[in-house]
Amino acid sequence: MNNDLMQHLLQLAEEVEQQVAPAFARTESIAQQNEWKITRSFQAHQVSDYHFAGSTGYGYNDRGREVLDLIYADIMGAEAAIVRPHFVSGTHTISCALFGILRPNDELLYITGRPYDTLHKVIGEKNDGIGSLQDWGIDYNHIDLLPNDELDWDSIVTAITDKTKVIGIQRSRGYDWRSSFTVEQIKQMIYRVKQIRTDLIVFVDNCYGEFTELLEPTAVGADIMAGSLIKNPGGGLAETGGYIAGKQWAVDAAAQRLTAPGIGGEVGAMLGTMRLMYQGLFMAPHIVSQAIKGSILAAGVLQRLGFVTKPEWNAQRTDLIQAVQFDTAEQLIAFVQGVQKAAAVDSYVLPVPAEMPGYESEVIMAAGTFIQGGSLELSCDAPIREPYIAYLQGGLTYAHAKYGILQALQLLVEKQLVKLD
Ligand SMILES: *Cc1c(COP(=O)(O)O)cnc(C)c1O
């Protein structure tokens, strides 16, 4: 390791830490309030170690599972929730939610632009033969955001027809160079949508958003929302799974899709997953705050070096994602490789751009994680397409996120892709 260079970078990071201290303080305050909310919910439900035992076979009357659903509902400000290791990913969770509430001839309308890449196959096309929404005769449309990242209400109002049943909102930027939507903004969207037609059902893709703010979208009127347990609410401990929260009928409908019609959420052995789902939820606000502080530091440092970041360090946060725009593919690839070098797991692996199932261009991913693909852990994804944007997220501890940023910068400087003054 180049010690002079590392010293120089450390000093830069320390200067930025001073500058971003107010943003750190806001993040810590949110974590504290969410931590207390979760602890009070555990207490109200008298969580005890027998809830962690898990179940086998059909898993009937698994009290740990039932109470975890109630706690999620509480925390999310929802009537009901279903939290399961049987959701294999965020995409599967969202798919269950959408298939639960949509029927043939209904239309799904996304109003926050094209949704996250892996959902394109879920939405699918007519006669694609894979049983996508459109293959089942469910229509789909989306309205692009305006150039200033605001919603295009004129087009939305025109696009809503009698067929439109579900309005889709994606909170996080995902892999898009746009703003993420705060819970306050989502509240305004829901208000406007319900003014157009009170019976429109609002679905929110809440992936990456949980516990970055004090409220979640279901607390401000979303009918149903979904997220992944290998992101924020799993606290870095949950080994797999997802959750759906919302109106009782909507959560029930999604549960019928997860298992089978008539079975719903009453069945499903939790095996040995319970303690880590409870403990992960308990840890989640803190771990999320560590990751967000890492994102704030990254934005501060990279802005100083002249790169454009979304969000900027001082902006209000509503998700984990820190997008950074590089000038060249070489810079992008080196940055991602530097993040990988900082990992505790698989640091010796060199990530290279490759095709990934569900993604439409080649992607390079740094993911030296304990949980495979766990993106509350320090990770970085970048589709290799112009403009060259890296999406950095996670960090189980702030110190590790900082280490990752320093390693990535070091590689950029060593490869002479970035100059320090
Ligand atoms: C991660 C993510 C998904 C999909 O989750 P996977 O676990 O990758 O399938 C969907 N939407 C958004 C906004 C996400 O961030």
Side-chain angles (χ1 to χ4, degrees), residues 323-374:
V324 183
Q325 190 178 326
F326 290 100
D327 303 322
T328 64
E330 289 71 40
Q331 287 176 334
L332 182 69
I333 290 167
F335 185 83
V336 175
Q337 289 175 339
V339 171
Q340 181 80 30
K341 275 180 71 174
V345 179
D346 288 336
S347 66
Y348 58 88
V349 174
L350 185 71
V352 291
E355 306 281 343
M356 296 281 297
Y359 295 95
E360 283 168 6
S361 41
E362 279 199 325
V363 180
I364 181 168
M365 292 185 168
T369 55
F370 290 90
I371 303 290
Q372 189 191 94

Side-chain angles (χ1 to χ4, degrees), residues 358-417:
Y359 295 95
E360 283 168 6
S361 41
E362 279 199 325
V363 180
I364 181 168
M365 292 185 168
T369 55
F370 290 90
I371 303 290
Q372 189 191 94
S375 46
L376 179 56
E377 299 185 51
L378 182 65
S379 48
C380 190
D381 309 305
I384 308 296
R385 62 188 178 209
E386 271 190 278
Y388 298 108
I389 297 163
Y391 297 88
L392 176 73
Q393 68 266 322
L396 293 178
T397 68
Y398 170 68
H400 187 241
K402 180 174 170 181
Y403 187 60
I405 295 157
L406 290 171
Q407 291 274 308
L409 289 176
Q410 187 182 23
L411 199 58
L412 280 168
V413 175
E414 281 173 356
K415 292 194 162 187
Q416 302 189 328
L417 296 168

